[in-house]
Amino acid sequence: MHPTISGVPQLVVLVPDTERGRRIEVSRDTLLVGRGDGCDIRFDDPFVSRTHARLQRHGHAVYVQDLGSSGGTFVNGVAAAGPTELRHGDIVRFADVELRFAAVEPRSGPAVESLPDAWPGSTTPPPPPPPSPSPVSFDIGYQRDGVFHNVGRDQYILQQRESFLRHVAATRTKARWLIWLGVVLTVAGGAMFASGVLRFLSAIADSVQTGAEPSTVSPFGGDIGGFPAGLVGWALAAIGSFLIVIGIVLHIVAASRRKRVDRDYPVPFPH
């Protein structure tokens, strides 16, 4: 693959085969790569994170940086944890997606392709094209995260992160309420059930001592709304236990979502 002469650096997809040959122009200063709908360059791959990596362009130089993805970002097999400058022909990998980088061909004056094969009406060969200047190097070495950034794009990441964190906090609050309500119902129901059983046992003991028939014949105590109090208490305790289980599950889900937020929407400028 020769350097592109379009004036725009490009990434050409190698893997997967379904997208092989797809050309992606790095036409803006900052581009987000990922699986999420808000990304500028999207790959429908389950191993690509929702916000996977960042591409930054400075003149003809292009830098790539991983954004805490689960699948990782690599340049020629080396992890791109910090901003890494891409050279022509480099292999960039986002999880299982592989691309080849095509740099911009330096050019000055008219392009070679635009020169005619010969001047009309003349046997004199055309003059040679002017020599191209030496490629300008933009290699500035390693840069800390946040030196090259786009305020609007980072603001989008922060907004998405805050939105998901609000949902996580709401889920945790709901989980706590369900757990506490379940505890109250379980304790109250258990107390009602135990009270009915104790009354029944007390009536039996009194009957044995006095020789009279027990006043309470049901082991579940008196009625509440036509239902034995002990059975009502047992039902409340069962409902309470069920609410406790649901609350614990919601709490686990909230913790898992928090980890995904930290992975897919990291803070753009960690201190």
Side-chain angles (χ1 to χ4, degrees):
M1 178 187 302
H2 298 290
T4 173
I5 60 174
S6 64
V8 180
Q10 296 180 354
L11 288 167
V12 182
V13 179
L14 303 178
V15 178
D17 292 336
T18 54
E19 295 195 58
R20 185 178 182 87
R22 171 187 171 190
R23 292 181 174 270
I24 302 169
E25 293 188 346
V26 186
S27 57
R28 294 193 304 186
D29 291 342
T30 300
L31 295 172
L32 276 184
V33 180
R35 183 166 43 87
D37 294 335
C39 292
D40 305 296
I41 302 174
R42 294 186 64 251
F43 294 106
D44 188 16
D45 187 287
F47 297 103
V48 174
S49 298
R50 292 181 58 85
T51 305
H52 195 101
R54 178 192 295 129
L55 290 170
Q56 296 171 301
R57 178 183 172 187
H58 298 272
H60 293 329
V62 176
Y63 298 81
V64 65
Q65 179 184 1
D66 187 74
L67 295 178
S69 66
S70 59
T73 301
F74 304 88
V75 178
N76 298 326
V78 179
T84 304
E85 184 178 2
L86 298 179
R87 305 292 186 180
H88 177 70
D90 282 351
I91 301 298
V92 184
R93 180 161 61 87
F94 305 113
D96 289 343
V97 178
E98 286 191 0
L99 309 94
R100 186 186 299 275
F101 178 69
V104 175
E105 180 182 11
R107 52 188 296 187
S108 175
V112 175
E113 294 84 358
S114 63
L115 293 175
D117 294 335
W119 297 106
S122 173
T123 59
T124 305
S132 299
S134 300
V136 179
S137 174
F138 292 91
D139 185 7
I140 57 176
Y142 175 80
Q143 296 291 321
R144 292 183 58 189
D145 184 23
V147 174
F148 297 143
H149 64 276
N150 179 278
V151 175
R153 181 56 57 188
D154 290 338
Q155 185 64 28
Y156 167 81
I157 296 177
L158 288 175
Q159 290 175 352
Q160 290 292 101
R161 177 183 174 87
E162 291 175 0
S163 175
F164 280 110
L165 288 179
R166 283 195 294 270
H167 286 295
V168 170
T171 302
R172 283 182 172 175
T173 301
K174 185 183 299 183
R176 293 191 189 100
W177 277 106
L178 287 174
I179 292 174
W180 279 111
L181 179 60
V183 170
V184 171
L185 290 178
T186 301
V187 172
M192 291 177 62
F193 180 80
S195 176
V197 173
L198 289 176
R199 286 181 182 179
F200 174 75
L201 294 177
S202 177
I204 294 296
D206 291 342
S207 175
V208 171
Q209 291 179 358
T210 61
E213 290 291 332
S215 57
T216 303
V217 296
S218 174
F220 301 110
D223 290 346
I224 298 179
F227 295 95
L231 289 180
V232 173
W234 184 88
L236 288 177
I239 293 174
S241 301
F242 182 68
L243 291 179
I244 292 174
V245 172
I246 293 179
I248 293 174
V249 171
L250 283 179
H251 198 276
I252 294 174
V253 169
S256 175
R257 288 180 177 176
R258 175 56 193 262
K259 291 181 180 179
R260 286 196 62 184
V261 170
D262 291 337
R263 182 190 67 192
D264 294 344
Y265 295 93
V267 178
F269 309 114
H271 295 286

